[in-house]
Amino acid sequence: MSTILTAIAAAPSPSPSVVPDVDVTPGVAGFVAIAVVAVVTILLVVDMTRRIRRTRYRAEIRQRLESDAGGATTDVPARRADEDGRTDVGDDTERG
């Protein structure tokens, strides 16, 4: 057991080597990639916030119109089934 400890103690420890910063940093390409991801994320959050706000306002307006009409809106159907089985709940999407 003592021979193992002396062999381990006698082995030189590796000296820390200095690595140039160029080898360990992502550089310009990494910065550009992260900047693009950040800008796209910000744009997606802004767009999502606008869409949620628009949907909420349309729901509030629809609720006000239904309450003003006394809840009897049987003239216009609220949902319409298309040929493929989907239901149309109004024009909540942008068409461009």
Side-chain angles (χ1 to χ4, degrees), residues 16-95:
S17 61
V18 177
V19 179
D21 288 340
V22 176
D23 293 339
V24 295
T25 60
V28 176
F31 174 76
V32 169
I34 296 300
V36 166
V37 168
V39 168
V40 167
T41 303
I42 290 170
L43 292 175
L44 283 173
V45 168
V46 168
D47 183 56
M48 180 186 65
T49 304
R50 287 178 51 208
R51 288 177 186 266
I52 290 173
R53 185 179 303 133
R54 186 180 312 134
T55 303
R56 189 178 326 140
Y57 288 156
R58 287 181 179 167
E60 288 176 6
I61 290 171
R62 188 177 298 130
Q63 186 178 16
R64 284 185 199 160
L65 290 174
E66 287 176 358
S67 66
D68 288 347
T73 57
T74 58
D75 295 341
V76 179
R79 296 177 183 250
R80 176 180 56 92
D82 288 339
E83 292 80 24
D84 58 354
R86 294 182 298 169
T87 57
D88 187 12
V89 293
D91 191 21
D92 287 346
T93 59
E94 292 181 345
R95 293 187 179 102

Side-chain angles (χ1 to χ4, degrees), residues 1-12:
M1 176 89 155
S2 66
T3 57
I4 296 174
L5 291 176
T6 56
I8 292 173

